[in-house]
């Protein structure tokens, strides 16, 4: 937010330089991001001085030119002038040689020594428009006779430079959205640190009497989103350019002047932080209605965009149509124009949540919505209106034409709490005198209702929407007292917690780097999502009653917190597929949220997915077809590698998948806890997102993995001294028997020399009984210290065969 140095000093008397003032503001929490010098007139009239015309003679070769001799105090100059009003004895404004003038910001010219019709001219006598201080070119500027010769023109015209101070205003500081609010913080800081005894100089406001006759009826239909509404009409207005002081004030904060009426509303908003809106009374047509938008209602706003309302927006309307979006943006055809002679001024307090929702729906961020969203001072609503009326009467004339309409709903009130002085000192970390605490609170408009000695009962003003607790008040005291004044203790007392040996952040980085090395890209999706995903495609796995719903959702697409990471990844895949990037390897580490009968549960997961072609096209790759597409087993290989990296490979158990968000797949358990799930997304879900290729995905339950890591024991063994031996079985099996069950049974049959079991061939079909299949398994046997004998190998294989036959019904094929 931009404030003006000169403008700020109208409300607080201080001689601080812009740099010193900025340091004080930064120390109080209003961080100054930049200071920019603003010249009253471009170039500052450097080189322009007051001169005295000593003589004025006709030019020998030009009827309309005069040759003058002008004293500027230090020397006499011969200047050729064409102005019809130049005469001897005048005090004039002289631009000396080398001076650069800016009649317009983008038009600069330099004064040079020249010959005009054969006569030398050294300088120029200036008119208003040539200096950029007016529009007249009828003649040169003639100054009073007592004006000192040689006086700088900038000093004579009082062209003091200003400084634009830009503050990085945080969202909680709604109280500092106007110059008055910034001056309040400045007053508190200077009164405490310099004992300055300063008070704010509030503008004196007196509502003019009613002299016109333009009654306007106001109806508040939506009394939920409109908390207070004040309005008054004025007649006999003369719309024209604003006076120089008003234009200068607005330019100093980065605003362009429009006309005197609109400029006053912008001035008051930047002064008090209270937005105003002014309507052409001819468009109001005698009635103002504050209501909710109607079904299918449209409004063309000031940016010439036709906007369709969604029946949630608060509107300001007349009897026939909407005139503006309340607290957000004006209508294109209801504002003040050059032909306006009567106006209706609105000063209101709108609900912050309603304004924020409306602004987000329509993608708007205006000065008004910026302030209403954060919360404006409810006590200034009428004051701002009367201040606006007073200034409009000053710069545009006119008369008040009705009694002020002032409707009050449920206006926010001040908050009453208690603070402990012991707690103040404890949280800040040093002793602050009680009277200093009371003085700081008073300067921040926080009143002491009862003094109990060590406890103070206080009332926080309604405009401090961010101060609600004792800790908030202590923070207010601290920022005025000064963070830099809190001493650093010579001794630090530290409590060393019992830290877990598992570094969760390091594991997250390790796994993420591993996946990136395998060609996966990390995504970070919003934790907010739409309820429709669970409602339509929860597959009985995710339920609507478990949703964590937002109290004030910005839109229907962001109304709940996600129960699953899957939908976000499907959005990513659909987005990329529609932009000709269908081959994807993605992963995300994020949290999911659920509400189980009032108990909120937050869990972390890792999800990875693969879809499209395995590899980018190149001269070695085969022609496109099914063989080049990513498969379930490609992803399973990646998942197995991750689980092995965790150290779970030896204790994993494969189980049937029960998660209905998968069409099919497998689950992995460790110590009867589901650690990971893998499979492919249901076809109906892919169809809903418009995804063409199969999507294979896996989920690792991160919290379970971190818990189980504490049970993983890292064991080291020396390299085996003897060779390994391989034996194969060809088995006839029922179709429902899985390789995982065969592997588990074999490893249980011999835990000493059987090292691994592999599947290297699968056959189903011709020459096999119906419901049967054939697996070819490999068995690796090894003793680390010696070579196995044939008897040991045959004995081990016999035990494995017997176990497979008993537990799995496996028959050894010849």
């Amino acid at each position: 937010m931009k404030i003006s140095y000169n403008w700020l000093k109208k409300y607080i008397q201080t001689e601080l330089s812009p740099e010193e003032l900025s340091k004080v503001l930064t120390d109080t929490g209003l961080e100054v991001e930049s200071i920019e010098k603003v010249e009253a007139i471009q170039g500052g009239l450097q080189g322009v001085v007051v001169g005295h015309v000593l003589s004025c003679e006709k030019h020998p070769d030009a009827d309309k030119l005069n040759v003058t001799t002008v004293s500027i105090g230090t020397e006499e100059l011969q200047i050729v002038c064409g102005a019809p009003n130049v005469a001897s004895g005048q005090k004039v404004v002289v631009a000396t040689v080398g001076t650069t003038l800016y009649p317009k910001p983008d038009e600069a010219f330099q004064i040079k020594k020249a010959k005009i019709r054969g006569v030398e001219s050294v300088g120029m006598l200036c008119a208003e428009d040539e200096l950029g201080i007016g529009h007249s070119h009828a003649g040169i500027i003639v100054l009073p006779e007592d004006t000192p010769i040689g006086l700088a023109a900038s000093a004579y015209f009082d062209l003091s430079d200003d400084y634009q101070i830009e503050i990085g205003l945080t969202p909680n500081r709604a109280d500092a959205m106007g110059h008055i609010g910034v001056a309040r913080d400045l007053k508190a800081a200077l009164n405490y640190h310099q004992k300055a005894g300063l008070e704010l100089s509030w503008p004196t406001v007196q509502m003019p009497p009613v002299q016109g006759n333009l009654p306007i009826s106001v109806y508040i239909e939506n009394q939920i989103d409109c908390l207070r509404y004040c309005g008054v009409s004025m007649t006999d207005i003369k719309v024209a350019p604003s006076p120089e002081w008003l234009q200068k004030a607005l330019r100093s904060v980065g605003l362009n002047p429009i006309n005197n009426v609109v400029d006053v509303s912008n001035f008051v908003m930047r002064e008090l932080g209270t937005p105003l809106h002014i309507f052409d009374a001819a468009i109001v047509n005698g009635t103002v209605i504050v209501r909710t938008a109607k079904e299918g209602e449209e409004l063309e706003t000031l940016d010439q965009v036709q906007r369709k309302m969604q029946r949630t927006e608060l509107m300001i309307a007349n009897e026939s149509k909407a005139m503006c979006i309340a607290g957000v943006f004006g209508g294109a055809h209801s504002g003040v124009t050059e032909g306006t002679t009567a106006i209706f001024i609105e000063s209101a307090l709108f609900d912050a949540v309603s304004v924020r929702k409306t602004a987000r729906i329509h993608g708007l961020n205006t000065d008004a919505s910026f302030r209403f969203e954060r919360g404006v001072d409810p006590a200034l609503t009428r004051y701002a209106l009367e201040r606006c009326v007073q200034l409009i009467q000053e710069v545009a004339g006119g008369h008040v034409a009705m009694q002020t309409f002032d409707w009050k709903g449920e206006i926010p009130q001040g908050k009453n709490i208690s603070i402990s002085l012991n707690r103040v000192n404890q949280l800040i970390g040093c002793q602050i005198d009680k009277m200093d605490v009371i003085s700081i609170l008073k300067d921040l408009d926080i009143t002491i209702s009862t003094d109990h000695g060590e406890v103070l009962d206080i009332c926080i003003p309604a405009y401090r929407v961010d101060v609600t607790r004792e800790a908030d008040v202590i923070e207010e005291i601290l920022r005025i007292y000064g963070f830099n004044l809190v001493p650093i203790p010579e001794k630090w007392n530290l409590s060393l917690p019992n830290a877990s040996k598992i570094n969760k952040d390091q594991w997250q980085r390790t796994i993420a780097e591993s996946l990136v090395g395998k060609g996966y890209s990390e995504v970070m999706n919003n934790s907010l999502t739409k309820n429709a995903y669970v409602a339509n495609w929860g597959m009985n796995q995710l339920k609507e009653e478990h949703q964590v719903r937002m109290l004030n959702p910005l839109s229907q697409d962001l109304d709940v917190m996600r129960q699953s990471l899957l939908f976000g990844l499907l959005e990513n895949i659909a987005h990329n597929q529609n932009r000709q990037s269908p081959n994807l390897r993605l992963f995300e580490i994020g949290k999911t949220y659920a509400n189980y009968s009032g108990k909120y549960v937050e869990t972390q997961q890792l999800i990875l997915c693969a879809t499209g072609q395995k590899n980018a096209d190149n001269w070695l790759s085969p022609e496109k077809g099914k063989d080049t597409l990513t498969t379930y087993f490609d992803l399973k290989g990646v998942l197995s590698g991750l689980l092995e990296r965790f150290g779970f490979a030896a204790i994993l158990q494969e189980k049937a998948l029960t998660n209905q968000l998968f069409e099919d797949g497998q689950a992995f358990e460790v110590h009867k806890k589901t650690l990971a799930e893998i499979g492919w997304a249901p076809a109906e879900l892919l169809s809903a997102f418009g995804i063409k290729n199969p999507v294979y995905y896996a989920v690792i339950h991160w919290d379970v993995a971190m818990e189980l890591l504490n049970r993983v024991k890292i064991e080291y063994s020396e390299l085996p001294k003897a060779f390994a031996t391989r034996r194969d079985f060809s088995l006839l099996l029922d179709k429902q028997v899985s390789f995982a069950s065969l592997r588990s049974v074999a490893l249980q049959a011999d835990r000493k020399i059987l090292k691994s079991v592999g599947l290297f061939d699968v056959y189903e079909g011709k020459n096999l009984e119906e419901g049967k299949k054939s697996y070819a398994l490999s068995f690796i046997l090894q003793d680390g210290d010696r070579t196995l004998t044939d008897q040991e190998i045959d004995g081990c294989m016999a035990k494995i065969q017997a176990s497979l036959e008993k537990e799995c019904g496996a028959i050894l094929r010849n």
Side-chain angles (χ1 to χ4, degrees):
M1 189 190 75
K2 297 175 182 177
I3 62 171
S4 159
Y5 172 71
N6 290 341
W7 192 348
L8 185 64
K9 294 206 299 180
K10 292 181 180 180
Y11 312 111
I12 185 168
Q13 300 300 316
T14 177
E15 298 303 320
L16 293 178
S17 68
E19 291 75 17
E20 293 170 332
L21 186 145
S22 297
K23 184 179 184 304
V24 173
L25 291 178
T26 298
D27 288 344
T28 64
L30 297 177
E31 183 179 358
V32 173
E33 297 180 340
S34 65
I35 305 174
E36 182 179 341
K37 186 176 181 180
V38 179
E39 295 177 329
I41 291 180
Q42 194 169 353
L45 297 185
Q46 293 294 319
V48 182
V49 296
V50 175
H52 182 210
V53 181
L54 302 177
S55 65
C56 180
E57 306 291 340
K58 286 290 183 183
H59 192 289
D61 294 324
D63 295 338
K64 295 184 179 182
L65 298 179
N66 295 293
V67 181
T68 64
T69 302
V70 182
S71 171
I72 60 171
T74 57
E75 60 180 318
E76 294 181 0
L77 305 175
Q78 178 175 285
I79 299 175
V80 177
C81 178
N85 64 330
V86 65
S88 178
Q90 293 175 333
K91 296 292 179 67
V92 295
V93 180
V94 181
T96 58
V97 172
T99 297
T100 300
L101 298 179
Y102 297 85
K104 295 181 180 179
D106 55 346
E107 294 181 9
F109 69 90
Q110 190 177 47
I111 305 301
K112 299 178 181 179
K113 184 186 293 186
K115 280 193 175 183
I116 302 175
R117 294 289 184 93
V119 176
E120 186 176 61
S121 180
V122 185
M124 185 177 79
L125 306 186
C126 301
E128 285 184 4
D129 64 333
E130 292 165 335
L131 295 177
I133 62 174
H135 302 285
S136 173
H137 194 69
I140 60 171
I141 299 172
V142 179
L143 305 177
E145 292 183 2
D146 59 352
T147 307
I149 299 172
L151 179 68
S154 59
Y156 177 81
F157 291 112
D158 191 23
L159 299 180
S160 57
D161 292 332
D162 198 357
Y163 292 86
Q164 185 184 95
I165 301 173
E166 185 156 6
I167 296 174
L169 195 65
T170 52
N172 64 307
R173 292 303 308 276
D175 61 299
M177 293 188 294
H179 283 73
I180 285 284
V182 176
R184 184 189 294 114
D185 267 17
L186 194 60
K187 176 196 74 170
L190 295 180
N191 282 349
Y192 177 73
H193 293 286
Q194 300 181 10
K195 310 302 179 185
L198 298 173
E199 294 293 337
L200 290 185
S201 299
W202 284 81
T204 302
V205 172
Q206 185 174 0
M207 189 68 171
V210 178
Q211 293 180 318
N213 183 27
L214 183 60
I216 293 177
S217 300
V218 181
Y219 302 96
I220 313 297
E221 293 184 0
N222 185 337
Q223 299 184 6
I224 303 298
D225 296 334
C226 179
L227 308 179
R228 187 175 184 183
Y229 195 92
C230 298
V232 70
S233 63
M234 294 184 71
T235 55
D236 303 321
I237 299 295
K238 294 180 181 178
V239 178
S242 295
E244 186 61 30
W245 70 266
L246 182 51
Q247 294 193 36
K248 183 178 177 181
L250 295 180
R251 289 194 183 100
S252 70
V253 293
L255 296 180
N256 292 321
I258 299 173
N259 60 54
N260 49 2
V261 176
V262 175
D263 291 350
V264 164
S265 68
N266 286 330
F267 177 88
V268 174
M269 178 174 65
R270 294 289 180 150
E271 179 181 55
L272 304 176
T274 301
L276 301 165
H277 196 80
I278 302 179
F279 299 92
D280 189 326
I283 305 300
V284 171
N285 196 25
T287 304
V288 169
I289 304 172
V290 183
R291 60 170 174 79
T292 305
K294 297 178 180 178
E295 179 73 36
E297 187 168 26
E298 294 188 1
L299 174 69
E300 183 181 350
T301 47
L302 286 170
D303 55 357
Q304 280 71 54
V305 174
Q306 192 76 19
R307 301 183 185 276
K308 188 173 181 179
M309 301 300 116
Q310 298 188 7
R311 295 188 64 188
T312 58
E313 301 90 341
L314 186 67
M315 310 296 291
I316 309 299
N318 58 23
E319 287 187 332
S320 59
K321 60 182 179 182
M323 297 186 292
C324 81
I325 306 174
V328 180
F329 213 20
H333 307 294
S334 61
V336 176
T337 65
E338 293 181 0
T340 299
T341 59
I343 58 174
F344 178 77
I345 309 171
E346 166 194 282
S347 179
L349 178 63
F350 300 120
D351 179 66
V353 174
S354 172
V355 172
R356 187 186 306 114
K357 286 182 180 179
T358 298
R360 296 300 176 272
I361 286 172
H362 295 284
L364 295 170
N365 183 22
T366 63
D367 279 343
S369 68
F370 175 82
R371 286 161 173 79
F372 279 124
E373 286 178 26
R374 287 157 177 78
V376 300
D377 188 349
L380 292 182
T381 305
R382 182 154 183 163
Y383 178 87
L385 177 74
E386 294 177 353
R387 172 73 167 151
C388 182
V389 170
Q390 182 178 332
L391 289 176
I392 287 178
Q393 202 167 56
E394 178 184 330
V395 302
H399 302 98
V400 175
M402 63 177 280
Q403 292 294 335
T404 301
F405 175 85
D406 189 353
W407 177 85
K408 298 177 182 178
E410 294 187 11
I411 300 174
Q413 302 297 320
K415 297 171 283 292
N416 295 296
I417 67 170
S418 298
I419 65 167
S420 164
L421 295 178
N422 289 331
R423 184 64 172 160
V424 170
N425 295 327
Q426 180 185 15
L427 283 186
I428 291 178
C430 63
Q431 295 292 319
I432 301 179
D433 186 76
K434 177 181 177 179
M435 296 311 298
D436 288 339
V437 170
I438 293 175
S439 174
I440 290 172
L441 293 177
K442 178 185 174 183
D443 283 333
L444 292 174
D445 291 349
I446 299 175
T447 58
I448 312 296
S449 54
T450 308
D451 185 345
H452 299 289
E454 286 301 310
V455 176
L456 301 176
D457 293 339
I458 62 174
C459 181
I460 303 165
Y463 66 79
R464 287 311 305 267
V465 295
D466 60 319
V467 180
T468 59
R469 307 167 300 163
E470 181 185 43
D472 298 330
V473 177
I474 295 173
E475 183 182 359
E476 290 298 294
I477 296 170
L478 174 58
R479 67 182 185 84
I480 299 302
Y481 174 78
F483 292 93
N484 296 331
L485 295 183
V486 177
I488 299 176
E490 297 180 358
K491 179 182 178 182
W492 291 87
N493 295 318
L494 299 177
S495 298
L496 297 177
N498 293 324
S500 169
K501 68 177 182 180
I502 303 302
N503 187 330
K504 295 182 180 181
D505 292 334
Q506 182 59 47
W507 269 107
Q508 187 167 322
R509 287 192 294 270
T510 298
I511 296 301
E513 289 170 1
S514 175
L515 286 170
V516 170
K518 296 178 184 297
Y520 282 72
S521 299
E522 184 174 9
V523 300
M524 297 179 68
N525 288 310
N526 197 337
S527 295
L528 298 178
T529 185
K530 60 177 72 174
N531 180 64
Y533 285 153
V534 169
N536 297 331
W537 304 296
M539 308 293 180
N540 294 320
Q541 184 71 29
L542 308 176
K543 300 183 182 298
E544 281 194 86
E545 58 264 29
H546 297 157
Q547 296 278 48
V548 177
R549 300 181 182 276
M550 305 303 296
L551 294 177
N552 298 302
L554 295 177
S555 71
Q556 293 181 349
D557 289 341
L558 300 170
D559 57 348
V560 298
M561 302 192 77
R562 62 188 180 188
Q563 283 193 61
S564 170
L565 303 182
L566 174 61
F567 300 117
L569 279 189
L570 293 180
E571 286 180 349
N572 302 144
I573 293 171
H575 179 86
N576 283 274
Q577 173 193 273
N578 294 337
R579 287 156 182 80
Q580 300 182 358
S581 298
N583 307 322
L584 299 168
R585 309 286 184 277
L586 305 176
F587 76 94
E588 180 177 10
I589 302 175
K591 292 185 177 181
T592 61
Y593 310 86
N595 176 8
Y596 298 106
S597 301
K599 182 182 179 181
Y600 292 93
V601 177
E602 182 178 312
T603 58
Q604 192 162 16
Q605 297 179 350
L606 162 64
I607 186 171
L608 56 153
C609 73
T611 183
Q613 301 290 328
K614 292 182 183 179
N615 302 301
D617 293 338
N618 61 74
W619 65 278
L620 284 174
S621 64
E623 295 182 4
K624 292 181 180 179
K626 289 185 178 180
D627 292 340
T628 65
L629 290 175
T630 297
T631 67
Y632 165 82
F633 296 102
D634 295 322
L635 184 64
K636 187 177 180 182
V638 174
L639 177 63
S640 298
L642 294 180
L643 297 180
E644 186 173 350
R645 180 67 183 83
F646 278 121
F648 298 139
I651 55 177
L652 275 179
Q653 290 185 324
E654 294 188 17
K655 297 291 183 179
L657 187 64
T658 59
N659 190 333
Q660 297 183 55
L661 286 176
F662 294 87
E663 186 163 312
D664 200 357
Q666 284 181 313
F668 296 90
E669 289 185 356
V670 173
H671 301 312
K672 297 184 179 181
K673 291 187 176 182
T674 300
L675 173 65
E677 297 161 305
I678 183 173
W680 50 95
E684 60 189 282
L685 189 56
L686 299 183
S687 176
F689 281 83
I691 299 173
K692 300 173 183 177
N693 291 324
V695 174
Y696 302 97
Y697 75 99
V699 176
I700 295 178
H701 300 283
W702 195 265
D703 295 330
V704 175
M706 294 299 103
E707 178 188 348
L708 293 172
L709 277 174
N710 287 309
R711 306 186 191 182
V712 173
K713 295 181 180 180
I714 301 176
E715 297 180 354
Y716 298 90
S717 60
E718 61 179 325
L719 293 174
K721 299 175 181 178
F723 294 109
T725 301
R726 169 174 168 167
R727 291 289 186 270
D728 297 339
F729 277 168
S730 178
L731 302 173
L732 184 65
L733 305 160
D734 292 334
K735 279 192 175 182
Q736 65 269 22
V737 177
S738 67
F739 166 70
S741 60
L742 296 173
R743 178 178 178 275
S744 176
V745 169
L747 289 172
Q748 289 176 7
D750 186 285
R751 300 176 181 272
K752 185 177 180 181
I753 63 173
L754 178 60
K755 301 302 180 183
S756 66
V757 181
L759 173 65
F760 64 89
D761 188 44
V762 177
Y763 178 74
E764 295 181 30
K766 192 175 180 181
N767 298 327
L768 291 182
E769 298 177 29
E770 186 175 352
K772 297 289 185 178
K773 62 182 178 182
S774 175
Y775 275 5
L777 303 183
S778 62
F779 301 88
I780 305 299
L781 301 100
Q782 187 177 37
D783 187 296
D785 297 321
R786 60 185 180 80
T787 302
L788 295 172
T789 65
D790 289 340
Q791 292 83 356
E792 289 175 313
I793 294 172
D794 292 341
C796 177
M797 295 305 298
K799 285 194 296 181
I800 293 173
Q801 180 183 347
S803 295
L804 292 175
E805 185 174 346
K806 179 180 178 182
E807 300 294 335
C808 303
I811 300 174
L812 188 65
R813 298 182 68 194
N814 296 325

